Amino acid sequence: MSDSDWALLDRPIWSALTTNQKHLAEGGPRARRFPVDMTPFADMVDMSEASFAALGHLLSGSQVAVLFTPEPVEIPASFKVVLAETGEQMIGSPADGALRDAEIITLGAADVPAMMALIALTKPGPFALRTHQLGTFFGIRVGSELVAMAGERMKPGNFTEMTAICVHPAHRGRGYAQALLGAIARQIEARGEIPFLHVFSNNASAIALYQRQGMRIRRRLHVTALMKQA
């Protein structure tokens, strides 16, 4: 792959909304976002005053825009920051994991309430009522309860992001996360794409898990959540 292909990952949100997921994009040439009932992710073509103004026109009320950028974001006075963290962008082919006492299932619209409940419990990151429509989501049930899941989200160029990797606290240590991550990655690779993911820099246990599975940190990104001043 060329340097320009890899550069798509430096601004993954903008890249997704101008390539494979441009049909989902709300906005125009200066600022774009995903539908808010899918994810709060947004980005701009640059950090100019005109681009921030365009982003502001996309937001109403208390809506939040979450940006992933290579550098810290300096916002104009018309916005306020509600979160400013860093995240590690990891790339690679995670190893498969064997399951002895469970099977992986494909999740759909009927599973959304269970998915939302698991997200609320484990808090892996933004997840909304239509996030599952961004790609395939796999899960593991124990009895009737959804106890683990993982899926696909952003799709910039020839890359697909793995997301919502979470396991119920009472069911950890059984290899569920590894098995789901491997299953999602194999599906992505079968399409000729490269899997990647994002994890907050302070989540040392998750980073260590992904590294044990063969993934590596590609770069650090700045995660900024902002909203318009009232």
Side-chain angles (χ1 to χ4, degrees):
M1 295 181 69
S2 68
D3 290 344
S4 61
D5 291 326
W6 287 104
L8 292 174
L9 292 180
D10 294 340
R11 300 291 290 266
I13 299 172
W14 183 257
S15 297
L17 290 172
T18 53
T19 60
N20 296 328
Q21 292 169 311
K22 62 184 179 181
H23 63 287
L24 298 174
E26 298 177 350
R30 286 203 166 273
R32 296 186 178 197
R33 72 171 181 180
F34 283 93
V36 293
D37 58 355
M38 285 186 162
T39 179
F41 291 169
D43 201 1
M44 299 168 287
V45 69
D46 55 31
M47 295 292 150
S48 67
E49 182 178 339
S51 293
F52 271 106
L55 178 63
H57 288 314
L58 293 175
L59 302 177
S60 61
S62 60
Q63 288 180 347
V64 172
V66 177
L67 282 63
F68 287 10
T69 57
E71 305 296 335
V73 178
E74 295 185 13
I75 68 166
S78 55
F79 288 85
K80 65 178 179 180
V81 173
V82 295
L83 179 144
E85 299 283 351
T86 62
E88 307 303 323
Q89 185 181 81
M90 303 187 69
I91 196 159
S93 181
D96 288 318
L99 287 176
R100 289 185 301 233
D101 60 347
E103 66 174 325
I104 293 174
I105 60 173
T106 301
L107 302 174
D111 300 294
V112 169
M115 297 167 81
M116 298 296 289
L118 184 59
I119 290 290
L121 179 67
T122 58
K123 297 178 172 58
F127 194 92
L129 290 173
R130 291 177 59 215
T131 301
H132 70 285
Q133 295 179 10
L134 292 171
T136 300
F137 278 79
F138 291 150
I140 294 172
R141 287 186 178 273
V142 173
S144 60
E145 185 179 17
L146 181 67
V147 299
M149 72 175 192
E152 302 172 350
R153 187 168 57 186
M154 289 189 286
K155 300 186 177 187
N158 200 44
F159 304 91
T160 294
E161 180 197 28
M162 300 183 292
T163 188
I165 304 154
C166 54
V167 180
H168 191 294
H171 296 270
R172 290 175 182 165
R174 303 181 187 183
Y176 291 169
Q178 180 176 347
L180 287 168
L181 203 60
I184 288 291
R186 296 297 83 76
Q187 174 173 270
I188 293 169
E189 291 168 336
R191 300 195 300 260
E193 300 163 4
I194 298 172
F196 73 106
L197 57 79
H198 295 104
V199 57
F200 280 116
S201 300
N202 60 9
N203 193 345
S205 60
I207 292 171
L209 168 66
Y210 302 144
Q211 288 176 325
R212 287 197 301 271
Q213 286 190 256
M215 302 191 75
R216 62 176 177 83
I217 294 173
R218 175 184 175 266
R219 68 163 302 150
R220 176 166 290 185
L221 292 174
H222 293 266
V223 182
T224 309
L226 50 84
M227 61 189 299
K228 291 194 296 186
Q229 292 279 14

